[in-house]
Amino acid sequence: MNVMEETLHLEPEQFDLLVSEVMDELPQEWAPLLDKMAVVVEDEPTDDDLPSGSPPETPLLGRYRGTASMQLIGGGLAGPAVAAPPEIALFQGPLERASSSLEDLRHLVRDTLVQQIGRYLGYSEEPPDEDEELADEEEGEI
């Protein structure tokens, strides 16, 4: 008997709600930072989102899209031009396909958000875990 593994799939509203809940659980000190950026949910990454040189089978779960100084909205007669906020895109399809359960999906969304926020802050890799930072501080104490 061949049992096909069912892929986790949420309705867009359910997925948006999950993302909102995960964002609410992020450290409180990140709130001012998150207020300055847009977090959007898209079904799938576009070809433009895929990093150059990455194997095509590598799933892209999220993407930080910084804004170039040339990306201005408005201006002219409407008043001064406003820079578009930096954006983090979460890709629902790849995130769901990489998850085996709702709890797994929740962790993956959180990890992807943290990783993309790290990119916004200038980290090339994930920022250190709070637990690791505490361990490092304790090691330094005599």
Side-chain angles (χ1 to χ4, degrees):
M1 187 168 130
N2 187 1
V3 178
M4 248 181 75
E5 196 173 313
E6 193 171 316
T7 305
L8 184 67
H9 180 70
L10 300 178
E11 292 301 317
E13 299 80 24
Q14 294 171 303
F15 193 86
D16 290 347
L17 182 62
L18 182 134
V19 170
S20 294
E21 289 170 358
V22 169
M23 287 179 67
D24 289 344
E25 294 164 7
L26 291 174
Q28 194 57 47
E29 55 270 19
W30 291 11
L33 183 69
L34 291 169
D35 288 343
K36 294 179 187 158
M37 62 175 58
V39 176
V40 298
V41 174
E42 296 174 8
D43 292 333
E44 298 290 334
T46 64
D47 289 341
D48 289 343
D49 287 317
L50 299 173
S52 58
S54 69
E57 67 277 358
T58 305
L60 184 65
L61 306 178
R63 177 91 174 157
Y64 167 70
R65 297 177 183 141
T67 52
S69 54
M70 297 179 295
Q71 278 186 302
L72 297 175
I73 301 171
L77 297 175
V82 180
E87 179 178 271
I88 293 176
L90 296 173
F91 303 117
Q92 183 173 351
L95 282 161
E96 288 176 338
R97 288 190 294 276
S99 303
S100 57
S101 68
L102 196 57
E103 196 56 34
D104 198 23
L105 178 63
R106 181 179 289 279
H107 287 295
L108 205 51
V109 166
R110 182 187 192 285
D111 291 350
T112 303
L113 268 172
V114 169
Q115 185 179 36
Q116 300 310 319
I117 291 167
R119 288 217 170 93
Y120 170 71
L121 294 173
Y123 292 100
S124 55
E125 295 299 316
E126 287 186 43
D129 223 0
E130 287 178 28
D131 297 339
E132 290 174 19
E133 284 180 9
L134 287 174
D136 289 346
E137 287 173 16
E138 289 170 3
E139 281 177 23
E141 293 175 12
I142 300 174

